[in-house]
Amino acid sequence: MLSYVFSCRIESVIKMKKLLSSLLILLMILSLCACQPVFDTSVPTPKDYALTKDQKLLVHFIDVGQGDCTLLESEGEFVLIDAGEKTAADTVCKYLRCRNLKTLKYVIATHPHSDHVGGLTQVLKTFKTENFITCETDQSTNTWLDVLRTVDKKNINYIDAEPGDTYSFGEGSFEILAPLGSGYSGYNNYSVVIKAVCGDISFMLTGDAETESENEMLRSKADLSADVLKCGHHGSSTSTSDAFLRAVSPHFAVISCGEDNEYGHPHKETLSKLKKYSIEYYRTDKMGTIIAATDGEGLSFYEASGQKIESTLSSESTEEAPSEYIGNKNSRVFHRPDCGGVKTMSEKNKVIFTTREEALDKGYSPCKQCNP
């Protein structure tokens, strides 16, 4: 009897040791998992937006709340424009890791406001960066000085933004358009404005540039036309003037701002202008991160979930603009010369415009069929 009881106790001890051993192994596994980076569910994984053979450029408008952060990606080369507030640094770094990013070919600090450069110090410390582009100002906040000290400590090539200079990455390139002046009353107009191009598709990325800088760009006679406009200053009424919007003449606009932000961005004046010119717009405060993908001819947009946004720009939409437009005096609508609406129009009702901007200036609306 004693032998049986002793045997049972031995068996119980063995079972207990096995149980403790299993629990120890489980705890070790959990501990190892905890050491791995945990990505926000809002951050797409590399497979969600992997470049296909047809996609030559991805433009990621990363949701950093009330701030700005844009990533250009082409054939394994990357350009980062701003990185939001310091509190957004982790989000930006996680996103860059999700893109399997090892090196940033260019980092552009549009201007020294914290909602654009606050997260840059951590980004520069985390990822190898080859070139840093910005415009010199007298800003001396700790946030901005930390960025400059990191650039110096990491021996990153410092480039002063010069309008007209062009840089390439992968299948894409970008040209610096602004700032063109100096002595601005605020730092917004010191914003480095670039036009990124891939094939026939282009993106106007404006930082916080306001009307003063926009007017300087208009006077420079540079080609400001672009398929996508990132509205300046988070959609503030101080940017995206009528004249600038007509010159860019985008098919789409993107507004980067925080949900229920204290500034009321985007302002209703800006949204009204976009609607006035039939420009479809997307907002990071409503949709989160927005990704544009192009093969150099067409353009598609995606939400952070990977869901494709229905509106797309086909290669037909990027065909060369006609040399003239024909308006109808009665309907106050203007058309392409080959539009069916022109064939039924009486000669006395026709009015000829040499440019699309001229027709818009005269109060004519674009035909919804031929999309002039």
Side-chain angles (χ1 to χ4, degrees):
M1 183 67 178
L2 287 172
S3 176
Y4 173 75
V5 172
F6 183 74
S7 176
C8 288
R9 286 179 178 177
I10 291 294
E11 187 176 346
S12 296
V13 169
I14 291 171
K15 287 182 179 180
M16 182 62 70
K17 285 184 175 180
K18 287 182 177 179
L19 179 60
L20 289 172
S21 178
S22 297
L23 287 172
L24 181 61
I25 291 171
L26 179 60
L27 287 171
M28 289 175 66
I29 292 172
L30 291 173
S31 177
L32 287 171
C33 290
C35 294
Q36 301 302 313
V38 180
F39 298 117
D40 294 338
T41 56
S42 61
V43 178
T45 59
K47 64 181 177 61
D48 289 330
Y49 300 106
L51 278 168
T52 67
K53 291 181 180 179
D54 295 331
Q55 292 176 329
K56 296 180 180 179
L57 172 66
L58 295 180
V59 180
H60 308 256
F61 299 94
I62 303 173
D63 179 16
V64 290
Q66 183 62 19
D68 253 28
C69 183
T70 306
L71 178 69
L72 311 182
E73 173 184 356
S74 180
E75 298 202 334
E77 294 192 326
F78 298 85
V79 179
L80 181 68
I81 307 167
D82 294 336
E85 292 277 5
K86 186 176 182 179
T87 52
D90 283 341
T91 296
V92 176
C93 288
K94 288 175 183 178
Y95 194 99
L96 299 186
R97 289 193 191 100
C98 280
R99 300 311 304 160
N100 287 332
L101 186 152
K102 300 295 187 295
T103 301
L104 286 161
K105 188 169 185 179
Y106 296 98
V107 167
I108 301 174
T110 59
H111 66 296
H113 281 161
S114 64
D115 60 326
H116 289 250
V117 301
L120 277 183
T121 296
Q122 184 171 326
V123 170
L124 296 172
K125 288 180 177 179
T126 305
F127 299 93
K128 179 182 177 182
T129 303
E130 295 179 358
N131 302 283
F132 179 81
I133 302 175
T134 195
C135 177
E136 285 194 25
T137 66
D138 61 358
Q139 178 66 282
S140 59
T141 61
N142 288 333
T143 297
W144 181 233
L145 292 178
D146 282 345
V147 173
L148 296 180
R149 290 189 194 104
T150 305
V151 170
D152 184 59
K153 185 176 180 180
K154 293 285 185 178
N155 293 317
I156 300 169
N157 183 40
Y158 181 97
I159 301 173
D160 194 21
E162 290 289 341
D165 286 354
T166 302
Y167 303 89
S168 62
F169 62 101
E171 290 284 330
S173 65
F174 63 89
E175 179 185 358
I176 296 175
L177 299 175
L180 289 156
S182 60
Y184 301 113
S185 57
Y187 293 109
N188 286 342
N189 283 317
Y190 282 100
S191 289
V192 178
V193 177
I194 71 165
K195 179 178 175 179
V197 178
C198 180
D200 296 329
I201 304 299
S202 53
F203 299 80
M204 180 69 71
L205 307 170
T206 58
D208 276 358
E210 298 182 321
T211 303
E212 185 175 359
S213 178
E214 291 176 353
N215 288 339
E216 289 174 344
M217 284 185 273
L218 289 169
R219 290 193 294 269
S220 74
K221 304 299 181 182
D223 179 11
L224 303 181
S225 61
D227 299 293
V228 181
L229 168 68
K230 190 202 75 65
C231 291
H233 200 189
H234 320 287
S236 169
S237 59
T238 61
S239 303
T240 318
S241 63
D242 273 285
F244 187 71
L245 196 55
R246 288 196 299 268
V248 178
S249 190
H251 298 275
F252 302 97
V254 175
I255 300 171
S256 179
C257 61
E259 186 175 10
D260 298 325
N261 64 84
E262 62 182 301
Y263 308 101
H265 295 155
H267 290 155
K268 61 182 181 181
E269 294 89 344
T270 300
L271 299 183
S272 295
K273 291 174 191 174
L274 297 176
K275 292 175 182 177
K276 173 183 175 182
Y277 296 113
S278 301
I279 300 167
E280 188 154 4
Y281 60 88
Y282 308 126
R283 298 167 48 172
T284 60
D285 63 327
K286 299 293 185 183
M287 304 171 70
T289 294
I290 298 160
I291 299 95
T294 179
D295 59 359
E297 295 181 355
L299 180 64
S300 299
F301 286 88
Y302 298 85
E303 296 181 10
S305 63
Q307 178 68 38
K308 186 175 182 179
I309 299 172
E310 290 185 5
S311 297
T312 58
L313 175 63
S314 67
S315 56
E316 293 179 0
S317 301
T318 60
E319 64 185 46
E320 186 176 348
S323 57
E324 65 178 29
Y325 298 85
I326 301 174
N328 187 319
K329 293 179 181 177
N330 286 338
S331 66
R332 306 290 290 179
V333 171
F334 69 97
H335 312 255
R336 289 176 173 269
D338 56 355
C339 179
V342 175
K343 296 177 182 179
T344 60
M345 196 186 306
S346 65
E347 289 298 322
K348 67 177 182 179
N349 284 333
K350 289 182 180 179
V351 55
I352 307 300
F353 301 109
T354 56
T355 66
R356 186 177 190 275
E357 289 70 27
E358 181 186 1
L360 293 171
D361 283 340
K362 296 293 184 182
Y364 283 70
S365 301
C367 170
K368 294 183 178 179
Q369 299 300 317
C370 65
N371 296 314

